Amino acid sequence: MGSTAVIDGTGTARPPRLAGGLLVVGGGVDVLSAWAQTVGDPFVAVGEGGVRHLDVTGWAWLNVGVGAAVTLAGLLVLTGRRGALPAAGGCAALAILVGVLLFPYDPIRTLLVVGLDGAAVRLLLRHRRLSATRRSGPSVPGPPPGSPPRSG
């Protein structure tokens, strides 16, 4: 599929709105669900050694911070700020890492957020690649080797 970056009237690429929206939604889900885990009861794990109470409050606060950073990065992508795309990609990658670490405690939220953040990272990388291609301009191939010179 050959697609091009969306170019506005000035010849510059517009910010990737879908990627920014996905980051805002994924970060918001992270913040809300992690906030609920900070005030909730600890998890209970039943194993061979008996019943254990697992308190994930520290991880939940980390997830609140990362989710807030992802939300802010998504808003910056939507505004088209310079340097927002690499920062958003880094925040989304960090959110994916923290989400994977918390997978055993909240698998449905993790699958949702990792999917949203992964799609956003893919869109950001694609936008960067297409923008770089657009900036370098179309390449005009020369004549094949051994061909006769063109006459004007």
Side-chain angles (χ1 to χ4, degrees):
M1 274 189 198
S3 73
T4 59
V6 179
I7 307 296
D8 62 9
T10 63
T12 59
R14 289 193 323 211
R17 291 187 179 127
L18 180 59
L22 289 174
L23 288 172
V24 169
V25 170
V29 168
D30 254 351
V31 168
L32 292 176
S33 65
W35 183 266
Q37 287 180 353
T38 62
V39 295
D41 293 330
F43 288 92
V44 176
V46 180
E48 293 176 7
V51 177
R52 294 190 179 174
H53 293 277
L54 302 172
D55 189 13
V56 293
T57 305
W59 283 104
W61 280 111
L62 175 68
N63 211 8
V64 167
V66 170
V70 169
T71 302
L72 180 63
L75 291 173
L76 289 175
V77 167
L78 289 175
T79 62
R81 298 281 182 181
R82 187 187 233 353
L85 298 182
C91 287
L94 183 62
I96 290 171
L97 176 68
V98 171
V100 168
L101 292 174
L102 287 172
F103 180 76
Y105 304 106
D106 203 356
I108 295 172
R109 182 207 52 87
T110 299
L111 290 176
L112 175 71
V113 171
V114 167
L116 289 171
D117 289 342
V121 167
R122 182 177 183 269
L123 288 170
L124 290 171
L125 291 173
R126 184 171 184 225
H127 178 78
R128 180 178 173 207
R129 180 179 53 90
L130 291 174
S131 294
T133 303
R134 180 65 93 174
R135 265 184 265 133
S136 66
S139 61
V140 178
S147 64
R150 290 185 179 169
S151 59

